[in-house]
Amino acid sequence: MDSVVDRGGSVVQLMEAMGLSPETVERVSRLWGKSAARNGGQRHLLLGHLLDTAAVAGLIWDQYLSRAFRQRLDEISGGRGQLWFMWVCGIHDCGKACPAFQAMDEAEAAPVLAAGLTWGRLPADRQKRWRHDVAGAVLLMPRLITEWGGEEAAGWVWPLVAGHHGTFPSAAALRPPRGAQGRGAAWEQVQRAVVDVFTRAVGFEDLADVRPVDSLRKAEQLALSGLIVMADWIASDSSQFPGLADAGLISFAGARRRAEAAWERLRLRGGWRNLVLPENPLDPLTCRLGVQPRASQRELVERAWSMPAPGLLVAEAPMGEGKTKAALAAAEVLAARFGLDGVFVAMPTQATSDPMYEQVLRWVHTFDPALESQVALLHGRRRFNTWWRSVWEGKPRPEGEGCGCCENGGRHDAVDVTADDFGAIDEDADYGMVSAQPSTDRATNLGADGPAYWFLGDKRGLLTAFAVGTVDHILHAATRTRHVMLRFAGLAGKVVVVDEVHAADVYMRQFLVEALRWLGQAGVPVVLLSATLPPAQRQQFVDAYLSGVLGMADVHQPVPEPAGYPCVTVAYGVDGRAVAETSREAVRSWRESAPVRLAWLPDTDPMGTRVAAAVRETVADGGVALVVVNQVDRAQAIYRDLRDGGFDGVLHLLHARLCAAHRAGRTGECLRLMGPQAGDDRPKRMVVIATQLAEQSFDVDADVLITDLAPTDLLLQRIGRLHRHSGTRRPAAH
């Protein structure tokens, strides 16, 4: 029997070698998994799809999974992580071997009935239809309990099968309607054979041999569930995996060849793949990012080196201190030390995500230029970002140092992700698997290292090795929504950086706390950045992360009072014990504290006439002024007053009601003229009137600020745009 498998024999040969009766061999060979009507005109047999999915899982292991997750799967499988991963991914659709599924397509059902597998009347009501994902769990559960010696191991594996269409069923949902699961000796023999033949074809001796030696934690199970969905979706692409209607043509060796060809065509890959440790502790800052380390940056990177286990780092430092670059450097250290494969940088808004995307692109390029195409921008208006478009369309990168925002008046030929070129994934379309998928034909002119269009599909963005996006992507990964496991799988195996973490309101903060709990349990290092984080929030975030690490409901580990500001707080678990530490010595800022002179401007006019007059006076002899107000109408009125009054200088209006293209273009222009690389391009006289878009993660340097009243932390953020960059030329008055 082993020789049949070793030679790559077909599943028919394998079944015969296993001693199955000719009737069972014939019946298993008739079971369909993908109907011709919804699979590119070609029927695909059930065993063929199971083996295709297992083969894809093997490639995910080899070329995508992080070292950390591979190690965990090795630990729970007794050192056979890849084999076990292939099995658990491939077995997901075993529930299709039941009447409820086999009867769904009349043409496909005919050969099954002719082979002697019959059924009676089945529920026609869509709401009462017996789903094959749940059927798989019901089919597997009693066998796993029996052959694995109890419910402990089986109890966490069968939900992985039951949840592969995006939701995990309750125990009450595991009761099939009459006849839907299959009754009689014929169905029992066929269902047992499907599981046994697949298990042998993959490489295990029998189902008992598959038994894990330990269990994954809940968060790790969620990530594994997402990876099963990923493998299933890839293997369900009929354009990459044509149907096979003859069981004599189906083998695991053949499935591997199909998977390898599809993987190459789809350009799928992971991120760093076993990133090596930097030779010098500060190389990630000095060599990679080209910065002369400031004390606060050095502190964060050194903490990343000294942590004995993946954990939480909270960096608090003034605006303009260079926290983001320090976080990227720390991410490199954490990834190399703990076996992570990528990074997700979460920003408070779409507007702040765009410049961060360019920064991450440049950073990733320093590791390997081919990785640039593996950086995703995750927000709804990304098509207006010329950097994103150039990466995904295979065009030259934009010139200059701008943020890459669209500057062509809104015209664009961005990759269209709304058309469903992927097509319905046959009967699985009923369970939410239909996703927007750009055709791979669009990328035929790109090189082998081009972007993987598969990741552009719905809910898949976080699966890209490197990603920059709005913080709601983390929040969604902690909510009980469909396919939450797919999003969480995209976070597991990465280092997560959350910038401007203080910006979360009370409602969002609850989701962020829950996300930190799950990330802690999954062993995902997290770096939180803020200039104005209240101590109570810092404590809340630390407790949430440690609760996940220790697997306990409400851990409270008091955070020591920092020695000063800036400061870095770290939290991790060692030997079941929570640890929270903070800077023991005061960390110097990169510059001395500067006095900020405040003046009161009486103004009750919604039109902002007094503000416009004050702006003219402030920059009469030159200078760059930033005006931040709390209402769009007020910003527009001030802008009109200056424009219509013949303001002699550069004038920009920036607010959220602008169309995406105009807002992106103006944001990019402001960053070019007022950013750290402005140099001689900085205008002699310039005014930017903005709303809250300009109060954080907006790396501009203003000579003077005029602002509406705001909560203290946000007022400090706005003040952080003042005199932000060293070496900026200013008029004597400023």
Side-chain angles (χ1 to χ4, degrees):
M1 181 160 51
D2 288 337
S3 62
V4 173
V5 177
D6 293 340
R7 291 198 308 269
S10 73
V11 292
V12 173
Q13 294 174 292
L14 178 58
M15 286 189 282
E16 292 171 347
M18 291 174 65
L20 299 182
S21 68
E23 293 82 8
T24 301
V25 172
E26 176 68 14
R27 289 164 180 167
V28 172
S29 299
R30 297 290 181 88
L31 294 175
W32 62 278
K34 306 287 180 182
S35 67
R38 305 177 100 176
N39 194 56
Q42 295 176 287
R43 173 192 304 128
H44 195 31
L45 296 181
L46 176 56
L47 278 176
H49 177 58
L50 300 189
L51 292 174
D52 284 344
T53 308
V56 169
L59 290 169
I60 290 175
W61 176 280
D62 286 334
Q63 302 187 39
Y64 180 84
L65 274 190
S66 68
R67 174 165 53 89
F69 205 79
R70 295 199 306 269
Q71 288 174 346
R72 283 295 291 134
L73 291 179
D74 273 333
E75 289 169 7
I76 62 99
S77 64
R80 298 183 294 177
Q82 182 174 22
L83 186 60
W84 195 88
F85 181 62
M86 290 191 296
W87 180 87
V88 78
C89 287
I91 201 67
H92 76 286
D93 261 353
C94 66
K96 288 183 175 179
C98 73
F101 182 86
Q102 294 298 311
M104 287 182 67
D105 185 288
E106 187 175 345
E108 306 298 350
V112 180
L113 290 167
L117 290 172
T118 60
W119 50 82
R121 185 177 179 180
L122 298 170
D125 185 355
R126 184 184 182 89
Q127 298 299 320
K128 296 180 180 179
R129 183 184 298 170
W130 184 233
R131 294 169 42 143
H132 71 263
D133 49 354
V134 183
V138 173
L139 186 158
L140 269 180
M141 194 180 349
R143 288 203 60 189
L144 296 184
I145 292 174
T146 299
E147 299 189 37
W148 288 2
E151 296 187 8
E152 183 177 353
W156 69 269
V157 172
W158 70 257
L160 300 173
V161 174
H164 80 264
H165 277 304
T167 56
F168 297 102
S170 64
L174 301 182
R175 301 190 186 98
R178 183 179 178 85
Q181 186 73 6
R183 292 184 297 173
W187 275 109
E188 182 180 346
Q189 291 166 3
V190 162
Q191 290 170 347
R192 173 175 286 272
V194 166
V195 174
D196 290 344
V197 172
F198 167 75
T199 301
R200 283 305 306 256
V202 169
F204 283 106
E205 288 294 323
D206 50 34
L207 190 58
D209 190 32
V210 183
R211 186 186 190 279
V213 299
D214 201 353
S215 61
L216 294 175
R217 309 180 81 185
K218 291 291 185 183
E220 294 168 332
Q221 294 173 32
L222 187 65
L224 176 57
S225 179
L227 293 167
I228 293 171
V229 175
M230 178 182 178
D232 183 23
W233 284 13
I234 294 171
S236 294
D237 183 351
S238 61
S239 68
Q240 304 296 331
F241 293 85
L244 294 173
D246 182 353
L249 300 177
I250 294 173
S251 67
F252 191 41
R256 279 179 160 170
R257 289 191 294 270
R258 285 154 58 92
E260 288 167 359
W263 189 273
E264 185 175 353
R265 286 192 297 266
L266 292 171
R267 299 190 181 89
L268 298 171
R269 61 160 293 168
W272 281 308
R273 311 304 299 146
N274 302 317
L275 181 66
V276 298
L277 281 168
E279 293 184 5
N280 184 289
L282 293 180
D283 277 354
L285 277 171
T286 56
C287 299
R288 184 81 59 200
L289 291 163
V291 300
Q292 186 64 35
R294 296 166 178 168
S296 62
Q297 294 174 319
R298 183 189 298 265
E299 171 86 354
L300 182 60
V301 173
E302 288 176 348
R303 286 287 184 169
W305 276 105
S306 64
M307 291 172 63
L312 175 73
L313 297 96
V314 185
E316 300 170 65
M319 291 69 69
E321 186 79 11
K323 295 185 293 295
T324 305
K325 288 186 176 181
L328 294 179
E332 178 183 349
V333 174
L334 293 168
R337 291 188 63 216
F338 300 120
L340 289 312
D341 200 45
V343 172
F344 174 58
V345 182
M347 303 298 293
T349 64
Q350 294 180 358
T352 55
S353 298
D354 283 324
M356 180 55 62
Y357 174 66
E358 182 194 345
Q359 185 170 338
V360 171
L361 271 178
R362 295 181 185 279
W363 175 64
V364 166
H365 184 90
T366 65
F367 294 95
D368 181 356
L371 287 177
E372 209 177 45
S373 63
Q374 309 303 315
V375 184
L377 176 61
L378 304 180
H379 66 66
R381 294 187 175 92
R382 64 186 177 185
R383 64 186 180 277
F384 296 107
N385 186 290
T386 53
W387 280 88
W388 183 83
R389 287 163 48 210
S390 69
V391 168
W392 290 90
E393 294 174 357
K395 296 179 179 178
R397 304 296 183 263
E399 297 293 332
E401 300 290 334
C403 77
C405 301
C406 182
E407 299 176 6
N408 58 2
R411 293 182 297 102
H412 61 90
D413 302 306
V415 178
D416 180 12
V417 297
T418 58
D420 184 13
D421 294 337
F422 194 68
I425 307 180
D426 58 78
E427 289 65 25
D428 298 318
D430 295 330
Y431 307 119
M433 283 181 63
V434 178
S435 301
Q437 165 77 8
S439 170
T440 52
D441 293 340
R442 297 176 182 173
T444 54
N445 62 325
L446 298 180
D449 61 345
Y453 282 86
W454 189 87
F455 292 119
L456 291 181
D458 189 27
K459 304 173 184 176
R460 305 176 198 171
L462 277 176
L463 293 169
T464 316
F466 305 94
V468 178
T470 47
V471 70
D472 57 296
H473 286 85
I474 291 181
L475 309 185
H476 274 301
T479 56
R480 197 169 295 179
T481 54
R482 195 175 197 90
H483 292 116
V484 62
M485 68 283 291
L486 199 63
R487 294 187 174 99
F488 194 77
L491 294 176
K494 287 184 175 67
V495 180
V496 173
V497 178
V498 186
D499 202 1
E500 310 289 4
V501 69
H502 62 272
D505 58 27
V506 174
Y507 179 75
M508 290 173 58
R509 198 177 308 135
Q510 288 303 114
F511 288 102
L512 182 57
V513 164
E514 189 64 20
L516 289 173
R517 200 183 307 271
W518 282 91
L519 292 170
Q521 190 174 99
V524 175
V526 179
V527 184
L528 305 180
L529 307 177
S530 177
T532 54
L533 185 66
Q537 287 187 33
R538 181 204 305 138
Q539 183 68 60
Q540 186 182 26
F541 294 150
V542 166
D543 288 344
Y545 189 87
L546 289 175
S547 295
V549 170
L550 299 183
M552 300 171 61
D554 294 299
V555 172
H556 178 66
Q557 181 65 32
V559 177
E561 185 69 24
Y565 176 82
C567 64
V568 175
T569 300
V570 296
Y572 52 88
V574 175
D575 299 327
R577 178 174 55 90
V579 178
E581 303 170 343
T582 191
S583 301
R584 292 178 294 273
E585 298 178 2
V587 179
R588 291 185 56 198
S589 178
W590 67 280
R591 61 180 179 181
E592 296 298 324
S593 295
V596 179
R597 187 182 64 179
L598 301 178
W600 179 258
L601 179 65
D603 177 37
T604 58
D605 181 5
M607 305 303 289
T609 306
R610 292 288 300 274
V611 174
V615 169
R616 286 192 180 89
E617 181 180 348
T618 300
V619 297
D621 296 323
V624 175
L626 174 63
V627 180
V628 182
V629 295
N630 300 333
Q631 296 166 316
V632 174
D633 290 344
R634 183 166 162 83
Q636 291 172 325
I638 296 170
Y639 174 79
R640 285 193 298 267
D641 190 312
L642 290 170
R643 182 196 62 191
D644 298 344
F647 176 75
D648 182 19
V650 178
L651 186 62
H652 280 297
L653 174 64
L654 190 60
H655 59 75
R657 285 188 204 163
L658 292 168
C659 75
H662 290 163
R663 188 176 79 182
R666 294 182 192 180
T667 301
E669 183 67 3
C670 290
L671 289 169
R672 186 181 71 82
L673 297 176
M674 302 169 62
Q677 308 297 326
D680 293 337
D681 290 337
R682 185 179 177 89
K684 293 182 178 179
R685 183 181 290 104
M686 178 176 178
V687 175
V688 177
I689 301 101
T691 55
Q692 291 90 337
L693 290 177
E695 76 185 6
Q696 56 193 3
S697 290
F698 190 51
D699 194 12
V700 297
D701 183 326
D703 296 324
V704 65
L705 169 73
I706 299 177
T707 173
D708 278 349
L709 285 175
T712 304
D713 59 333
L714 299 182
L715 191 61
L716 289 171
Q717 288 288 341
R718 296 177 186 186
I719 292 173
R721 311 310 114 188
L722 279 173
H723 294 233
R724 185 179 177 91
H725 304 136
S726 59
T728 302
R729 294 182 293 104
R730 309 182 198 281
H734 300 299

